[in-house]
Amino acid sequence: MKSVLRWVSRISDAIAATMLAAIFFIFLIQIGSRYAPKIIGYFGWAETFPILASIRPLGWTLELIAVLWVWVIFFSCAFVVREYDHVKFDIIYLSVSRRLRTVFAIISAAAIVAGMLYAFMPTWDYIDWMKIRKTSTVRNPFTGDKIPLRTVFSVYGGFMIVVAARYGWLVIDTFRNGPPKTEIEIVLEAEAQAEAREVSS
């Protein structure tokens, strides 16, 4: 099971990294299409480089970056960001006993599951309604049609399901093994393991 989760984590990291790389390169294309003709014109190279001088700003780059950014955020929060990576106000949580931390962890995780499940159907109804609206400039590369916004925002529906499943599992795991480790505990444990490896070597 751990090996499967490890592979899912690696694939998720690769997908998120690919989307971020695509955003970066599309951004470079946007800058090039906007400023290349101006630079060519400024130096008087229009006759020397007529192809570059004929380039016009590409409007689709802005919209595609926005679409990819939506997907990066919700996909990464669902599959890449770990529990202890989230920003938390845990002063009270860290000051109480381990037993009370277990209660806090179960209540908070169950509340997230309940909130996601309660809001899922109304949210999905709205996402489904967005099929009547389509992207302005970005088109499906296979069909040439504009992309329905339902497809763009469907990632949020997936995000809700995955987050509900993750925190549902956290409830079960907390019942079995106690509260999740804090970031401080994870760091100290990693340092202890590193020291143990140094001693054994």
Side-chain angles (χ1 to χ4, degrees), residues 25-68:
F25 285 114
I26 293 167
F27 182 68
L28 292 181
I29 292 171
Q30 179 191 125
I31 293 172
S33 69
R34 182 177 298 178
Y35 292 106
K38 294 180 181 180
I39 294 171
I40 295 297
Y42 178 80
F43 287 105
W45 296 340
E47 294 181 0
T48 309
F49 304 102
I51 295 176
L52 294 178
S54 65
I55 294 174
R56 294 294 175 263
L58 302 173
W60 59 266
T61 55
L62 290 171
E63 191 172 30
L64 184 54
I65 287 173
V67 169
L68 287 172

Side-chain angles (χ1 to χ4, degrees), residues 90-145:
D90 53 5
I91 297 174
I92 297 175
Y93 179 81
L94 295 175
S95 66
V96 299
S97 65
R98 180 177 172 81
R99 186 172 182 179
L100 197 51
R101 282 188 199 177
T102 301
V103 175
F104 284 172
I106 290 172
I107 291 173
S108 60
I112 291 173
V113 173
M116 288 293 177
L117 295 179
Y118 178 77
F120 179 75
M121 286 311 299
T123 303
W124 187 255
D125 284 343
Y126 184 74
I127 292 172
D128 188 53
W129 175 81
M130 295 291 280
K131 66 187 175 186
I132 65 174
R133 300 183 62 187
K134 296 184 178 182
T135 52
S136 301
T137 55
V138 176
R139 294 179 178 272
N140 186 317
F142 302 105
T143 64
D145 298 330

